[in-house]
């Protein structure tokens, strides 16, 4: 029931940076406990969990292959989640999706995705 809209994808060279945004509707981050997650997927490969953050509380998780390069953050006043991606590699190329899951539910709502291409 949560609507999510991703933005910020594009074409960058290796070593470059991008900042992805995910704006949520139908939820109030400041008072509702949700797990917000960034996933990515490339053709022929399984979807990969990149990073996660809670709307209430301070827990943050990263995949090992992005740790130290990517930073997930939130702005509860704007109901928005960010993914700052630095030192991008060609293997980071994927469609990046934002997902929301209420703390007491197993159901996730997904955005439409935004394409990130890292290439020379």
């Amino acid at each position: 029931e949560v609507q999510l809209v991703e933005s910020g994808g594009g074409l960058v060279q290796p070593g470059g940076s991008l900042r992805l945004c995910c704006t949520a509707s139908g939820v109030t981050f400041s008072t509702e406990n949700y797990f917000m997650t960034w996933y990515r997927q490339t053709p022929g490969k399984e979807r990969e969990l990149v990073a996660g953050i809670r709307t209430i509380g301070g827990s943050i998780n990263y995949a090992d292959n992005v740790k130290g390069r990517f930073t997930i953050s939130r702005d509860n006043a704007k109901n928005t989640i960010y993914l700052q991606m630095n030192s991008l590699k060609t293997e980071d190329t994927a469609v990046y999706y934002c997902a929301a899951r209420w703390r007491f539910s197993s159901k996730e709502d997904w955005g439409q995705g935004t394409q990130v291409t890292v290439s020379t």
Side-chain angles (χ1 to χ4, degrees):
E1 295 179 358
V2 178
Q3 297 186 48
L4 304 167
V5 179
E6 301 99 331
S7 63
L11 174 64
V12 297
Q13 296 182 2
S17 298
L18 284 174
R19 190 193 195 204
L20 305 184
C21 300
C22 173
T23 299
S25 301
V27 61
T28 303
F29 283 1
S30 62
T31 59
E32 298 181 76
N33 199 331
Y34 273 76
F35 299 111
M36 302 297 299
T37 307
W38 286 100
Y39 291 90
R40 66 186 181 186
Q41 189 166 30
T42 58
K45 297 183 179 180
E46 293 186 13
R47 184 173 293 168
E48 176 187 12
L49 195 155
V50 177
I53 189 171
R54 297 198 309 224
T55 58
I56 298 176
S59 295
I60 295 174
N61 295 298
Y62 296 99
D64 287 341
N65 56 2
V66 307
K67 198 173 299 181
R69 299 188 297 119
F70 291 9
T71 302
I72 188 171
S73 61
R74 72 187 189 214
D75 185 340
N76 281 8
K78 298 180 179 179
N79 290 328
T80 298
I81 303 295
Y82 304 95
L83 185 67
Q84 179 66 47
M85 305 186 295
N86 299 326
S87 301
L88 283 163
K89 306 174 181 179
T90 57
E91 51 262 46
D92 294 318
T93 296
V95 178
Y96 283 71
Y97 297 90
C98 180
R101 179 174 66 84
W102 186 42
R103 177 184 178 183
F104 302 105
S105 176
S106 61
K107 177 181 179 293
E108 284 189 315
D109 295 313
W110 295 79
Q112 83 289 347
T114 184
Q115 176 71 50
V116 172
T117 302
V118 185
S119 177
T120 57

